[in-house]
Amino acid sequence: MALTLFDTDEYRPPVWKSYLYQLQQEAPHPRRITCTNEVENRPKYYGREFHGMISREEADQLLSVAEGSYLIRESQRQPGTYTLALRFGSQTRNFRLYYDGKHFVGEKRFESIHDLVTDGLITLYIETKAAEYIAKMTINPIYEHIGYTTLNREPAYQKHMPVLKETHDERDSTGQDGVSEKRVHTFRGPHWCEYCANFMWGLIAQGVKCADCGLNVHKQCSKMVPNDCKPDLKHVKKVYSCDLTTLVKAHITKRPMVVDMCIREIESRGLNSEGLYRVSGFSDLIEDVKMAFDRDGEKADISVNMYEDINIITGALKLYFRDLPIPLITYDAYPKFIESAKIMDPDEQLEALHEALRLLPPAHCETLRYLMAHLKRVTLHEKENLMNAENLGIVFGPTLMRSPELDAMAALNDIRYQRLVVELLIKNEDILF
């Protein structure tokens, strides 16, 4: 199936479809049926949901209490093998259950039985209620409208689009011969497919993510995506709030132009300014700079003639990083950076930071390198601007890093480590990059 090509260049933001999200909310909830007796030889990785060697009929009777009920039993025919028995659609479904450090019945692997059952109930419910809808999801794609369209389009009459290579590698990578790789990805919070605009259902591994441009799609929709994911510049309508990788690929640059231009301006006239980056500029004028970049791109005028106060330019640069939909230090890499900050041995800490940097997409890593080199030069003027690496870490920690955790207390506890990460990156910029 070919992608539908639109005759108009007018940008229309996608309308995300809520039907599958509503179905996920309606799916049955897990209900563990616990065994009241002590069971001999219960595997240590199962809990009270394990009932030992009971028959299918006994399991069926125990599960008849409610939809979503589940238990684990040992097979009578094949001792040493285990079955997850699950009540769905007024029937008992039986799945061979495996454990290799994580629990699984298929491709997805889970930390707990509860999570496995939750995801299974969601999948069963949606695929039962919306099988025909799912089969037709790829018919009217939104892909052409959201900024990922290839500049070198295939003809509209072409029936089969080249597909992305699938990998389960945890590292971001780019395939050979311009073929972008995608990998199965677990999305935190609700996410919608950027090909068909439908909700990406499930608890984990809800879809795949392109390692090159960050495109998020259903696994089945990924087969429809062109292999050259260079974004179409005419659909990238903003500089601020645009995915960093999408922006640099659209403009064919190593880094976002707003980063290069702001840093050049700051270094040309602001390195001796007291409280550089700590002192705030006038918010209305910072917003004015943002609109100038969104409107004029690299032609935006941020010279001293337009903005005499250098704090307006530093404020605009900080705002750019805060507005990124995926932080400069990405959600995927975030835990490794925080872990490295907690290491006490200096050599081991630098090695951990170096490993964490390898998790960043190329455009993110290059932008971080350029920014840290700039901040290192800022610290060389500490006598005049009173900004050392520690002070800059306080400013940029929460600007460049955002916790993927929804727990407010956990995120709050990370703030001191965010500051330390940036401080370490500045001080060791010449070694790490």
Side-chain angles (χ1 to χ4, degrees):
M1 182 186 298
L3 293 175
T4 304
L5 300 182
F6 295 89
D7 295 327
T8 176
D9 285 348
E10 179 185 356
Y11 175 77
R12 289 170 289 173
V15 177
W16 304 114
K17 301 170 186 176
S18 61
Y19 176 54
L20 297 181
Y21 177 73
Q22 292 169 353
L23 287 183
Q24 174 159 313
Q25 299 301 103
E26 296 170 6
H29 295 289
R31 180 170 176 173
R32 184 173 74 153
I33 302 300
T34 58
C35 183
T36 56
N37 302 320
E38 284 298 325
V39 181
E40 292 184 5
N41 302 319
R42 181 177 69 192
K44 62 182 179 181
Y45 39 83
Y46 296 140
R48 303 293 294 185
E49 69 276 2
F50 182 74
H51 286 249
M53 198 175 287
I54 63 173
S55 66
R56 282 178 175 241
E57 292 73 23
E58 289 175 293
D60 188 53
Q61 186 174 1
L62 289 168
L63 296 173
S64 62
V65 291
E67 284 283 282
S69 298
Y70 71 93
L71 58 81
I72 297 171
R73 62 182 178 84
E74 185 173 2
S75 172
Q76 292 180 328
R77 294 180 180 178
Q78 294 179 284
T81 63
Y82 305 100
T83 298
L84 172 67
L86 173 66
R87 191 74 172 180
F88 179 81
S90 300
Q91 295 180 339
T92 298
R93 311 275 184 114
N94 293 282
F95 304 90
R96 178 65 64 84
L97 187 60
Y98 301 92
Y99 181 81
D100 64 356
K102 291 188 178 181
H103 304 278
F104 62 100
V105 297
E107 290 183 357
K108 295 185 179 182
R109 283 165 163 73
F110 299 84
E111 296 290 346
S112 70
I113 293 294
H114 182 272
D115 286 352
L116 186 156
V117 174
T118 301
D119 186 84
L121 288 169
I122 290 169
T123 301
L124 285 169
Y125 189 78
I126 288 179
E127 291 182 353
T128 300
K129 294 284 185 178
E132 186 176 350
Y133 182 90
I134 291 170
K136 296 179 179 179
M137 283 195 312
T138 59
I139 291 177
N140 296 308
I142 62 161
Y143 180 78
E144 290 283 334
H145 289 282
I146 60 172
Y148 292 99
T149 311
T150 59
L151 291 172
N152 302 313
R153 282 182 177 149
E154 298 292 332
Y157 55 79
Q158 186 168 318
K159 291 185 179 180
H160 300 288
M161 306 297 287
V163 299
L164 296 172
K165 292 164 58 182
E166 184 179 347
T167 176
H168 290 270
D169 194 342
E170 288 299 315
R171 294 174 298 163
D172 285 310
S173 56
T174 304
Q176 300 294 321
D177 302 321
V179 178
S180 296
E181 289 189 89
K182 61 179 172 55
R183 56 192 176 95
V184 174
H185 191 78
T186 293
F187 298 95
R188 296 178 175 87
H191 270 72
W192 274 256
C193 175
E194 292 170 323
Y195 181 83
C196 72
N198 281 289
F199 179 65
M200 300 171 76
W201 66 90
L203 199 64
I204 68 165
Q206 302 95 330
V208 296
K209 186 182 188 75
C210 176
D212 199 20
C213 73
L215 181 71
N216 304 321
V217 291
H218 292 112
K219 189 173 182 180
Q220 62 265 44
C221 291
S222 69
K223 297 181 175 66
M224 310 301 296
V225 179
N227 64 348
D228 177 7
C229 57
K230 182 187 292 183
D232 192 334
L233 184 56
K234 73 185 179 193
H235 291 311
V236 179
K237 296 296 182 181
K238 297 190 297 182
V239 172
Y240 281 69
S241 303
C242 178
D243 174 71
L244 189 150
T245 300
T246 298
L247 185 69
V248 299
K249 289 177 74 68
H251 288 272
I252 317 177
T253 57
K254 292 175 68 176
R255 299 173 296 272
M257 86 285 285
V258 63
V259 175
D260 282 11
M261 290 174 64
C262 285
I263 286 178
R264 281 200 301 268
E265 192 66 26
I266 293 163
E267 295 198 351
S268 70
R269 60 185 175 99
L271 287 177
N272 293 328
S273 177
E274 185 175 329
L276 189 67
Y277 285 113
R278 179 178 54 79
V279 176
S280 300
F282 187 47
S283 59
D284 285 357
L285 291 178
I286 291 172
E287 191 67 25
D288 191 46
V289 174
K290 172 184 174 178
M291 288 189 292
F293 275 114
D294 283 342
R295 181 182 64 246
D296 304 324
E298 61 189 12
K299 295 180 181 178
D301 184 1
I302 59 171
S303 67
V304 67
N305 297 326
M306 285 293 293
Y307 305 101
E308 184 177 356
D309 183 3
I310 197 64
N311 298 312
I312 294 167
I313 308 304
T314 59
L317 181 60
K318 290 186 292 183
L319 180 62
Y320 171 76
F321 289 119
R322 286 199 301 272
D323 278 359
L324 285 174
I326 300 174
L328 187 60
I329 293 177
T330 61
Y331 292 123
D332 286 345
Y334 181 93
K336 290 292 185 184
F337 278 94
I338 294 297
E339 286 173 17
S340 69
K342 296 177 180 179
I343 296 172
M344 301 304 294
D345 181 82
D347 291 336
E348 291 181 11
Q349 190 173 61
L350 284 180
E351 182 61 32
L353 271 175
H354 191 262
E355 290 298 314
L357 286 168
R358 293 178 60 188
L359 299 176
L360 295 177
H364 284 247
C365 191
E366 167 57 23
T367 303
L368 184 62
R369 180 201 66 78
Y370 190 74
L371 176 63
M372 292 303 110
H374 161 65
L375 295 180
K376 184 71 167 286
R377 291 190 289 274
V378 170
T379 65
L380 298 179
H381 296 257
E382 181 187 350
K383 287 185 179 180
E384 293 79 24
N385 60 38
L386 307 181
M387 295 300 290
N388 57 24
E390 182 181 358
N391 292 336
L392 290 168
I394 292 171
V395 172
F396 276 95
T399 300
L400 305 182
M401 306 177 70
R402 296 199 294 273
S403 172
E405 298 296 331
L406 298 177
D407 183 354
M409 283 304 298
L412 196 62
N413 291 334
D414 281 354
I415 289 178
R416 58 175 172 159
Y417 297 114
Q418 293 172 357
R419 297 170 177 174
L420 184 55
V421 165
V422 175
E423 180 183 344
L424 290 167
L425 289 172
I426 295 170
K427 288 181 175 178
N428 300 284
E429 167 268 331
D430 55 336
I431 300 172
L432 291 168
F433 295 96

